[in-house]
Amino acid sequence: MWYYEKKLQYPVRVSTCNPKVAKYLIEQYGGADGELAAALRYLNQRYTIPDRVIGLLNDIGTEEFAHLEMIATMVYKLTKDATPDQLKEAGLGAHYVNHGKSLYYENASGQAFNMGIQSKGDPIADLYEDIAAEEKARSTYQWIINLSDDPDLNDSLDFLREREIIHSQRFREAVTLIQEEQGKKKVY
C-alpha cells in the first residue's frame, strides 16, 4: 500500500517553452529504459527475490513512479504554451494529432510503450539487469542535459540522473548480499 503526497519528489522548473527538449524527455516517460519500465520491472521482480531485498525493489520501484511524475511535469511545462506549428517543428506533430498536448506512453521516436518485463526469476540475473537499466537511464539523462540549455530544467534532470546512480549502487549492494547468503548453509 502506498500513501501519495501531493508534491513532486524534487521541484521542477522550466525557463521557457521548448518542445524539442520535451520530445527527448518523452524517452524517459515511455521508452524501454524509462521510468515506467523501471517501476514495472522492479515491482514485478520482487516476487522472486529473497526477503532481504524485497524492500529495496519496493522502494526503488515506487520512487520510479515519482520520477515518472516529474518527467510528465517537465514535458507539460515545456509544451503548454507551444503552438501546433512549434510542436510539428519539434517532431511532435503526430503526437499532437493523436493525443493533443496530453502525454502518452511512447518513446522519443513515437513508438508506443511496449516493454517486456525483464524478470528472469533468478535474483542475481535480475539485479544485474536492474543495474544495467539504471546505468542506461543515467546516461540518457546526461545526454538530455547535454542537449538542453535550460539551467532550471537541467537542475531537475541532474537530480534524476543522480538518483539513477544511487539506485545502481543499491542494486550492486543487493547483489553482494545475495551472493553472501547463497554460500551459507541453512540450518532449520
Side-chain angles (χ1 to χ4, degrees):
M1 172 177 230
W2 293 290
Y3 293 98
Y4 177 72
E5 189 174 342
K6 293 185 178 187
K7 70 176 192 174
L8 296 175
Q9 184 182 11
Y10 188 85
V12 170
R13 290 179 298 280
V14 170
S15 299
T16 184
C17 174
N18 192 335
K20 287 181 182 177
V21 172
K23 180 176 174 39
Y24 305 140
L25 276 171
I26 288 173
E27 184 66 31
Q28 291 298 80
Y29 192 72
D33 297 316
E35 302 295 353
L36 177 63
L40 295 175
R41 177 183 298 116
Y42 307 152
L43 294 175
N44 186 60
Q45 289 174 348
R46 68 188 174 166
Y47 295 104
T48 58
I49 202 108
D51 289 344
R52 288 185 70 186
V53 183
I54 290 174
L56 176 67
L57 288 169
N58 282 337
D59 292 347
I60 295 177
T62 302
E63 185 177 345
E64 299 296 356
F65 283 125
H67 296 174
L68 188 70
E69 185 176 37
M70 288 177 65
I71 295 296
T73 301
M74 290 176 200
V75 171
Y76 169 76
K77 288 182 174 190
L78 288 165
T79 61
K80 71 182 175 97
D81 296 326
T83 66
D85 284 340
Q86 288 174 311
L87 293 169
K88 182 179 175 183
E89 184 181 316
L92 292 170
H95 179 95
Y96 178 70
V97 168
N98 288 317
H99 311 291
K101 289 188 180 179
S102 68
L103 275 168
Y104 180 74
Y105 293 108
E106 63 187 13
N107 66 16
S109 300
Q111 295 172 323
F113 179 76
N114 183 11
M115 173 248 176
I117 301 294
Q118 299 298 317
S119 183
K120 186 70 175 168
D122 176 272
I124 301 295
D126 286 347
L127 287 168
Y128 277 117
E129 168 64 32
D130 299 343
I131 292 165
E134 293 296 327
E135 293 298 335
K136 289 187 272 185
R138 175 202 47 80
S139 62
T140 301
Y141 279 121
Q142 184 59 57
W143 296 330
I144 294 169
I145 290 167
N146 294 347
L147 292 171
S148 169
D149 60 358
D150 185 332
D152 289 332
L153 177 65
N154 288 350
D155 177 60
S156 299
L157 292 172
D158 188 54
F159 168 82
L160 291 170
R161 184 181 59 81
E162 292 301 315
R163 292 307 301 160
E164 304 300 342
I165 293 168
I166 298 298
H167 294 170
S168 177
Q169 291 170 345
R170 296 294 315 275
F171 286 136
R172 290 172 202 275
E173 293 166 5
V175 167
T176 301
L177 280 173
I178 292 172
Q179 286 174 330
E180 288 172 357
E181 283 188 6
Q182 281 181 335
K184 289 183 181 176
K185 182 177 180 181
K186 294 185 180 172
V187 179
Y188 295 97

